[in-house]
Amino acid sequence: QKEVEQDPGPLSVPEGAIVSLNCTYSNSAFQYFMWYRQYSRKGPELLMYTYSSGNKEDGRFTAQVDKSSKYISLFIRDSQPSDSATYLCAILREGYKLSFGAGTTVTVRA
Amino acid sequence: DGGITQSPKYLFRKEGQNVTLSCEQNLNHDAMYWYRQDPGQGLRLIYYSQIVNDFQKGDIAEGYSVSREKKESFPLTVTSAQKNPTAFYLCASSRMNTEAFFGQGTRLTVV
């Protein structure tokens, strides 16, 4: 079983829709959760990070963590064509190890 | 500007050659990482280092080697033992137990 599972999609939505992205993880000891955005042929860019259960908002982005279900989510409101990218969830394991999901490719259609 | 610099952006390797990818950071971060990304796949951890002169194998270390002689630098050598080296290589750094920041990557191709 992979430590982090993420549906690779692809996901296609019309402009203005809400994008919903999800990951599950296997080890309840994981404490630190991140979402990255990656444009083609570029390095991943940190979008959001959190270490507690609940919601964290930053502009159009909301990160949600449910530790009881070992489930993390990212919501993008009012999606724009510029949001078209691959979104990666990441979880910090013990000893500095960062584990990533496979990434979900999102296309926002104008 | 503070950040992580990877070089070169593109690298071509002949069969049987060793090549070294550079990663430098001026963020004063303790930890540094190397990841490999194949098309349509997530990031897989090759090596990581928490402090100078110490590093640990990640999930796919075979055929790779690293050094950490300076806090700012974490070069990765892709050796001839790596049978399928064509991939996108990403370097990252972080403070202790916090989010990681990435460089712009090196695309390695075997010719």
Side-chain angles (χ1 to χ4, degrees):
Chain A
Q1 182 187 10
K2 289 185 179 179
E3 290 190 320
V4 185
E5 299 275 4
Q6 182 177 9
D7 186 344
L11 189 62
S12 179
V13 300
E15 183 174 358
I18 295 175
V19 176
S20 175
L21 303 165
N22 307 295
C23 289
T24 58
Y25 60 95
S26 59
N27 191 330
S28 58
F30 294 160
Q31 294 294 324
Y32 212 84
F33 309 93
M34 286 149 274
W35 283 96
Y36 289 84
R37 177 175 63 195
Q38 186 179 25
Y39 293 113
S40 181
R41 299 177 179 268
K42 300 290 187 183
E45 169 194 10
L46 179 68
L47 277 178
M48 299 192 71
Y49 63 92
T50 183
Y51 53 85
S52 58
S53 283
N55 294 350
K56 181 178 181 180
E57 284 194 25
D58 184 0
R60 296 186 295 112
F61 298 90
T62 299
Q64 189 175 82
V65 176
D66 182 347
K67 289 188 176 180
S68 61
S69 301
K70 292 183 279 189
Y71 196 82
I72 61 174
S73 301
L74 179 71
F75 301 98
I76 307 173
R77 292 184 299 279
D78 188 25
S79 57
Q80 306 295 311
S82 59
D83 294 326
S84 298
T86 296
Y87 291 82
L88 298 147
C89 62
I91 296 173
L92 186 65
R93 296 148 58 181
E94 72 286 352
Y96 282 97
K97 292 183 186 179
L98 264 180
S99 288
F100 283 83
T104 301
T105 300
V106 175
T107 301
V108 181
R109 307 186 306 272
Chain B
D1 279 8
I4 302 169
T5 301
Q6 289 187 242
S7 63
K9 189 173 182 179
Y10 299 97
L11 186 58
F12 298 90
R13 191 193 96 168
K14 292 183 179 178
E15 295 280 354
Q17 272 187 339
N18 292 353
V19 291
T20 297
L21 285 60
S22 171
C23 179
E24 303 276 335
Q25 54 100 359
N26 60 4
L27 301 168
N28 199 32
H29 285 170
D30 296 304
M32 297 188 74
Y33 310 80
W34 274 106
Y35 288 89
R36 169 180 172 142
Q37 188 175 34
D38 293 285
Q41 297 192 30
L43 278 63
R44 292 185 289 169
L45 182 62
I46 304 172
Y47 270 99
Y48 65 107
S49 168
Q50 301 177 31
I51 56 172
V52 174
N53 293 322
D54 189 41
F55 48 83
Q56 285 79 42
K57 292 182 179 180
D59 301 313
I60 55 164
E62 185 175 351
Y64 301 97
S65 66
V66 294
S67 62
R68 186 88 185 274
E69 298 176 0
K70 298 186 300 182
K71 187 175 185 177
E72 303 79 18
S73 179
F74 192 41
L76 173 73
T77 297
V78 184
T79 74
S80 57
Q82 171 50 240
K83 298 307 179 188
N84 186 22
T86 295
F88 190 43
Y89 291 88
L90 288 158
C91 177
S93 72
S94 72
R95 294 192 307 271
M96 294 178 70
N97 292 329
T98 64
E99 66 277 16
F101 297 90
F102 282 84
Q104 287 305 300
T106 294
R107 191 164 298 277
L108 174 63
T109 303
V110 174
V111 296

